[in-house]
Amino acid sequence: MEAGMDILHHSGIQATHYLQTSYPRSQDWFLFVSFAADLRNTFFVLFPIWFHLCETVGIKLVWVAVIGDWLNLVFKWILFGQRPYWWVFETNFYHNTSAPAIQQFPVTCETGPGSPSGHAMGSAGVYYVIVTAILSIMLEKKRPTWKYRFLQVVLWVAFWAIQVCVCLSRVFLAAHFPHQVIAGVFSGMLVAESFQHVHSIYDASLRKYVGTTLFLFSFAVGFYLLLKVLGVDLLWTLEKAKRWCEHPEWVHLDTTPFAGLLRNLGVLFGLGLALNSPMYVESCKGKQGQQRTFRLGCVGFSLLILHLFDSFKPPAKVELLFYLLSFCKSAAVPLAAVALVPYCVSQLLSQQDKKAA
């Protein structure tokens, strides 16, 4: 088993070495793709756009992203996946030969286990939701025409092109092995497809949101403590990241498993608060909520406000405080996009209507 994994990891190192030496000028492109595939952009960019254009799609995006990343965390704790940038230094596979030179980048030194890839899993899940949503909207219970078939081909080609770019970027950056990104893509698609048949998320009560958030958090913490009692250290990768990362400042606290967990649960909790708030009901569920001007205004102001939110970086000196502020910051994202901004836009348009009258 170990020999087989060594061969698999070696082939991955060879792939990384090939990409880095054959396409050195593509570094900026791969860095951009890796940045764009981060779930943070789903919450700060894709979610506010889709929520105000098609509310159900926005809600599904959050659920798929949060549940998918939670499952990704559990899988990583079970599978104990290595990462290329430290495996190449620690393995005995190259005891008779020199190991291939692997370049590191500022986003290489993630601190969690590597399998499956969170970027690939998140990207596949999110864009699967978007593609299927567009096709569903265009179909509208009518018979498929040649235009629909053409759009279907274009969207799925674009979907797979995005996934290939994400996978290549993670391999190029030495953050993942090829088998890890492939597993991430198909896992993300499976999570997104499973939510095609879950309709209770669209009218979920605040109690359900709170209960789901507490369950996901309790399960993750309980699983971590159980394995720790059994002598399994789930934070074993943090030591490897600090040891083998070329630049200590590239090891960030926000890449740790619990940082991602609290960040995602904060978004889910905040969405529950927002959807069950009076401001959301008064603005989005009223007559103005159906107007194109209102929706476009909400999109524009939401993107602006969330960009300001994203510029705030919680201090990382005190770990517990960092996790708490990360949760609160994430909860503020859907609260702003779903409740606060629509309410303000609604009030602004109402004032303009009164002046016009």
Side-chain angles (χ1 to χ4, degrees):
M1 181 66 178
E2 185 176 351
M5 290 304 298
D6 282 345
I7 294 175
L8 186 63
H9 288 146
H10 166 65
S11 64
I13 293 295
Q14 293 286 77
T16 298
H17 180 71
Y18 171 78
L19 289 174
Q20 290 183 351
T21 55
S22 301
Y23 304 97
R25 296 182 179 179
S26 301
Q27 173 183 330
D28 291 339
W29 166 249
F30 285 131
L31 285 170
F32 168 76
V33 170
S34 186
F35 164 78
D38 194 293
L39 276 184
R40 180 182 287 106
N41 292 304
T42 297
F43 301 137
F44 282 84
V45 179
L46 295 179
F47 165 69
I49 294 175
W50 273 102
F51 181 84
H52 291 295
L53 295 181
C54 184
E55 188 174 300
T56 56
V57 179
I59 293 173
K60 187 189 292 186
L61 279 177
V62 169
W63 278 89
V64 168
V66 171
I67 300 299
D69 207 53
W70 179 83
L71 288 172
N72 181 265
L73 171 64
V74 174
F75 289 155
K76 284 181 175 180
W77 279 350
I78 295 174
L79 298 176
F80 276 62
Q82 303 282 343
R83 288 189 185 266
Y85 77 91
W86 74 58
W87 181 87
V88 72
F89 292 112
E90 294 194 339
T91 182
N92 294 322
F93 188 83
Y94 303 108
H95 64 279
N96 291 328
T97 58
S98 58
I102 299 298
Q103 186 179 356
Q104 295 182 13
F105 304 89
V107 297
T108 296
C109 303
E110 295 200 11
T111 59
S115 186
S117 166
H119 279 72
M121 189 170 177
S123 173
V126 166
Y127 285 101
Y128 189 93
V129 169
I130 292 175
V131 169
T132 53
I134 294 175
L135 292 176
S136 178
I137 293 171
M138 295 302 296
L139 189 58
E140 292 182 347
K141 299 180 180 180
K142 298 178 182 178
R143 289 185 177 182
T145 63
W146 69 267
K147 293 181 179 180
Y148 173 82
R149 297 295 186 189
F150 177 74
L151 176 65
Q152 191 177 35
V153 171
V154 170
L155 289 178
W156 284 118
V157 168
F159 171 84
W160 283 110
I162 291 173
Q163 304 319 310
V164 169
C165 288
V166 172
C167 291
L168 290 177
S169 73
R170 302 307 288 166
V171 174
F172 178 93
L173 299 172
H176 288 288
F177 292 100
H179 69 277
Q180 295 173 343
V181 294
I182 293 173
V185 169
F186 287 101
S187 298
M189 292 174 63
L190 185 61
V191 172
E193 177 61 27
S194 67
F195 271 90
Q196 297 287 90
H197 313 286
V198 179
H199 304 288
S200 59
I201 60 175
Y202 305 119
D203 56 358
S205 63
L206 178 59
R207 183 177 180 179
K208 182 173 182 178
Y209 274 96
V210 173
T212 304
T213 302
L214 290 176
F215 170 77
L216 297 177
F217 178 75
S218 301
F219 185 94
V221 173
F223 188 54
Y224 169 79
L225 293 176
L226 175 62
L227 292 182
K228 190 172 183 178
V229 170
L230 296 176
V232 180
D233 181 17
L234 293 179
L235 299 182
W236 60 278
T237 55
L238 184 58
E239 179 185 351
K240 292 181 181 292
K242 292 179 178 179
R243 181 179 182 184
W244 297 115
C245 190
E246 292 179 357
H247 301 276
E249 64 272 16
W250 288 356
V251 180
H252 300 291
L253 187 61
D254 63 353
T255 65
T256 59
F258 280 110
L261 174 67
L262 289 172
R263 185 166 55 242
N264 295 331
L265 294 184
V267 173
L268 186 64
F269 176 71
L271 179 62
L273 287 178
L275 290 175
N276 291 276
S277 68
M279 286 191 295
Y280 162 75
V281 174
E282 182 178 339
S283 55
C284 294
K285 291 301 181 180
K287 292 183 179 180
Q288 285 185 338
Q290 306 302 320
Q291 296 177 4
R292 182 178 299 179
T293 303
F294 171 79
R295 291 183 176 275
L296 293 178
C298 288
V299 170
F301 281 110
S302 294
L303 291 175
L304 177 61
I305 296 298
L306 295 187
H307 176 71
L308 297 177
F309 277 3
D310 196 29
S311 63
F312 167 71
K313 305 299 180 184
K317 292 184 179 180
V318 182
E319 191 169 348
L320 185 60
L321 178 62
F322 174 82
Y323 290 148
L324 178 61
L325 292 178
S326 295
F327 180 87
C328 294
K329 173 185 174 181
S330 297
V333 170
L335 276 172
V338 175
L340 181 61
V341 168
Y343 180 77
C344 293
V345 172
S346 175
Q347 294 299 312
L348 180 62
L349 291 177
S350 296
Q351 292 295 328
Q352 290 181 344
D353 291 340
K354 290 179 180 179
K355 291 181 179 179

